[in-house]
């Protein structure tokens, strides 16, 4: 609703601007959002309930494309690359 009714049609913020975050920033911290408005760093804050997994599944099953950041879930799994040095003849873990 926010994207389809307000950001696009009324404020002229299109998908390209949303992707580049030229007119928008995102935070998952309510206090931070409100502090940024109070400090004049941003013009407005839109506080929204988190999208539930059931809502995401329903939208996907109906063939909808979800807006940016609507599929942000916590806790996030740790990602990255783990390297283990291998020495000739044995395998040891770096300590």
């Amino acid at each position: 609703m926010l994207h389809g009714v307000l950001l696009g049609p009324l404020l002229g913020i299109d998908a390209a601007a949303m992707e580049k975050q030229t007119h928008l920033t995102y935070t998952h911290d309510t206090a931070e959002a409100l502090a940024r408005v109070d400090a004049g760093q941003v013009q407005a804050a839109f506080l929204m309930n988190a999208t539930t997994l059931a809502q995401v599944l329903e939208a996907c099953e109906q063939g909808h494309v979800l807006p940016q950041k609507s599929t942000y879930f916590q806790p996030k799994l740790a990602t990255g690359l783990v390297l283990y040095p291998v020495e000739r003849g044995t395998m040891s873990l770096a300590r």
Side-chain angles (χ1 to χ4, degrees):
M1 294 297 292
L2 178 64
H3 289 81
V5 174
L6 183 65
L7 297 180
L10 295 179
L11 299 178
I13 301 173
D14 63 9
M18 287 185 232
E19 184 177 330
K20 293 178 185 175
Q21 295 187 25
T22 56
H23 293 83
L24 300 172
T25 60
Y26 296 92
T27 181
H28 300 282
D29 186 298
T30 302
E32 178 186 347
L34 296 176
R36 293 186 71 192
V37 172
D38 288 341
Q41 296 172 343
V42 297
Q43 294 175 319
F46 300 96
L47 306 177
M48 304 176 66
N49 292 326
T51 309
T52 66
L53 183 56
Q55 290 169 321
V56 171
L57 290 173
E58 181 180 346
C60 291
E61 287 171 352
Q62 293 177 6
H64 297 293
V65 176
L66 297 167
Q68 186 177 10
K69 306 292 183 189
S70 63
T71 55
Y72 183 90
F73 294 103
Q74 287 287 9
K76 290 286 187 195
L77 296 175
T79 59
L81 180 64
V82 178
L83 298 174
Y84 292 101
V86 178
E87 296 175 7
R88 188 177 300 264
T90 63
M91 194 167 130
S92 65
L93 300 178
R95 295 186 192 262

